[in-house]
């Protein structure tokens, strides 16, 4: 592939070089004829002059024209000549350094493949989140959706159970509506991964849920903080009624809206508006 690209580039430079060379040679030929005609006309005037002053004036003009002949012919094409030299130099350079460019191009291809491999999980995750956003878009206007919520804490909050300090937390989706407050974590994992990585996933969701509680605690009395229902959306499927632990449910994108809307209403309209205003300050 790199070799083909270099071949195409060198061929293109060759074609450009030929075109410029033709334009310069044809232009110089035309200009030479024009300048020589001017000189010939001056010589004719010298021969036909009837007095010495006229002959002298034409002689001076002719001498100047002859002296400047080469410059007058070549000067209009200095730009094209410079362009031609640039094309020739680039062609020579590409030909001379061809092995170096091939090696570098191959290294770039390898690096690009490595980049894709390193970031494939990010791409898969982004596709999963888009799937969940499309599903949540089916909720009625009573429900409010926040995507990619980032919480930051200064100073960090202390997670006593894990003896960990939380400086920041990223939450995929938060839904607020009559049926409550929902923290939604999206995973575009294989069905088997949801189970094999369950400990890591439980840690992640519980950490995000605690961070959200601490954030809301700044705006509510301790025992008035709305209860958060944690749910993991497994894009590639899960078992019906599956849970990661007693406080983390698992569902799929096509059952997500039903999961949210079929619960008992717990938040009146004013409580929903207040919660939406508080969370809205984070985005």
């Amino acid at each position: 592939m790199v070799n083909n690209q270099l071949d195409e580039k060198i061929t293109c430079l060759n074609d450009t070089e030929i075109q410029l060379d033709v334009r310069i040679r044809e232009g110089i030929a035309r200009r030479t004829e024009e300048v020589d005609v001017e000189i010939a006309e001056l010589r004719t005037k010298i021969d036909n002059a009837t007095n010495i002053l006229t002959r002298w004036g034409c002689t001076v003009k002719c001498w100047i024209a002859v002296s400047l002949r080469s410059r007058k012919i070549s000067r209009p094409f200095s730009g094209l000549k410079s362009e031609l030299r640039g094309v020739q130099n680039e062609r020579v350079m590409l030909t001379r350094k061809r092995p170096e460019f091939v090696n570098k191009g191959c290294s770039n291809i390898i690096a690009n493949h490595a980049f894709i491999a390193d970031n494939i999980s990010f791409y898969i995750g982004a596709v999963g989140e888009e799937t969940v956003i499309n599903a949540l878009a089916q909720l009625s206007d009573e429900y409010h959706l926040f995507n990619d919520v980032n919480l930051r804490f200064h100073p960090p909050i202390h997670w006593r159970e894990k003896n960990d300090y939380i400086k920041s937390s990223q939450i995929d989706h938060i839904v607020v509506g009559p049926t409550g407050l929902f923290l939604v974590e999206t995973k575009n994992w294989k069905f088997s991964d949801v189970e094999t990585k369950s400990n890591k996933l439980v840690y992640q969701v519980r950490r995000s849920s605690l961070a959200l509680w601490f954030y809301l605690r700044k705006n509510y009395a301790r025992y008035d903080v709305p209860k958060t229902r944690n749910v993991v959306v497994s894009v590639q499927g899960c078992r019906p009624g599956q849970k990661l632990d007693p406080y983390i449910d698992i569902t799929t994108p096509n059952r997500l809206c039903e999961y949210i809307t079929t619960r008992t209403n717990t938040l009146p309209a004013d409580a929903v508006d207040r919660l939406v205003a508080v969370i809205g300050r984070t985005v």
Side-chain angles (χ1 to χ4, degrees):
M1 179 178 178
V2 178
N3 265 319
N4 291 339
Q5 291 176 342
L6 283 171
D7 285 339
E8 290 177 5
K9 180 67 174 178
I10 292 172
T11 299
C12 182
L13 289 171
N14 277 329
D15 292 343
T16 303
E17 182 179 347
I18 292 171
Q19 293 170 6
L20 287 172
D21 184 64
V22 170
R23 287 176 61 188
I24 292 170
R25 285 190 289 105
E26 290 180 349
I28 288 177
R30 287 194 303 271
R31 185 58 181 156
T32 299
E33 183 178 353
E34 293 170 356
V35 172
D36 286 346
V37 167
E38 292 176 3
I39 293 173
E41 290 176 350
L42 287 171
R43 286 174 174 163
T44 299
K45 289 181 180 180
I46 293 172
D47 294 339
N48 296 333
T50 57
N51 61 70
I52 191 170
L53 291 177
T54 301
R55 182 179 295 126
W56 175 250
C58 290
T59 300
V60 171
K61 290 180 181 180
C62 183
W63 177 81
I64 293 173
V66 171
S67 300
L68 298 178
R69 179 178 180 274
S70 295
R71 183 182 300 180
K72 292 175 71 175
I73 291 172
S74 62
R75 189 170 184 178
F77 306 98
S78 59
L80 286 176
K81 288 181 178 180
S82 177
E83 186 178 348
L84 176 61
R85 286 193 297 271
V87 170
Q88 291 170 332
N89 290 338
E90 185 177 0
R91 177 180 55 76
V92 171
M93 182 271 294
L94 286 178
T95 303
R96 178 167 53 86
K97 292 190 174 183
R98 185 189 190 96
E100 178 183 338
F101 287 131
V102 169
N103 289 336
K104 184 177 180 181
C106 291
S107 298
N108 288 338
I109 291 173
I110 294 172
N112 288 338
H113 280 295
F115 175 83
I116 293 172
D118 290 341
N119 291 275
I120 190 67
S121 60
F122 172 81
Y123 171 76
I124 292 173
V127 170
E129 289 191 26
E130 187 69 21
T131 300
V132 172
I133 290 173
N134 290 336
L136 291 172
Q138 307 304 313
L139 290 169
S140 68
D141 293 340
E142 296 176 292
Y143 292 88
H144 303 265
L145 172 63
F146 299 90
N147 298 309
D148 193 22
V149 177
N150 291 281
L151 305 176
R152 293 178 174 80
F153 302 94
H154 303 284
I157 58 178
H158 185 208
W159 186 3
R160 294 181 182 177
E161 180 183 349
K162 300 295 183 180
N163 194 26
D164 189 13
Y165 288 88
I166 302 175
K167 295 181 180 180
S168 63
S169 178
Q170 186 273 333
I171 301 172
D172 290 343
H173 318 281
I174 294 177
V175 177
V176 180
T179 54
L181 168 64
F182 299 84
L183 184 153
V184 182
E185 178 69 29
T186 299
K187 290 300 177 189
N188 195 3
W189 290 351
K190 297 178 182 177
F191 178 76
S192 58
D193 287 342
V194 175
E195 295 186 340
T196 58
K197 299 179 181 180
S198 60
N199 290 337
K200 179 181 178 181
L201 188 51
V202 167
Y203 178 89
Q204 179 183 350
V205 174
R206 290 181 62 189
R207 184 180 185 276
S208 297
S209 185
L210 180 65
L212 180 58
W213 184 88
F214 266 96
Y215 175 78
L216 295 176
R217 176 69 179 81
K218 297 177 182 179
N219 299 274
Y220 290 86
R222 183 178 184 86
Y223 297 104
D224 291 337
V225 177
K227 178 182 177 181
T228 302
R229 185 172 291 275
N230 305 308
V231 56
V232 172
V233 181
S234 177
V235 176
Q236 298 192 35
C238 67
R239 295 194 307 271
Q242 184 179 1
K243 286 178 173 285
L244 284 180
D245 75 359
Y247 304 102
I248 305 175
D249 298 324
I250 302 182
T251 188
T252 55
N254 61 329
R255 296 201 297 263
L256 180 57
C257 288
E258 180 184 359
Y259 172 89
I260 293 172
T261 58
T262 56
R263 302 191 175 277
T264 303
N265 286 4
T266 58
L267 293 178
D270 58 342
V272 170
D273 291 342
R274 180 185 179 188
L275 193 51
V276 167
V278 170
I279 297 175
R281 296 173 196 153
T282 67
V283 296

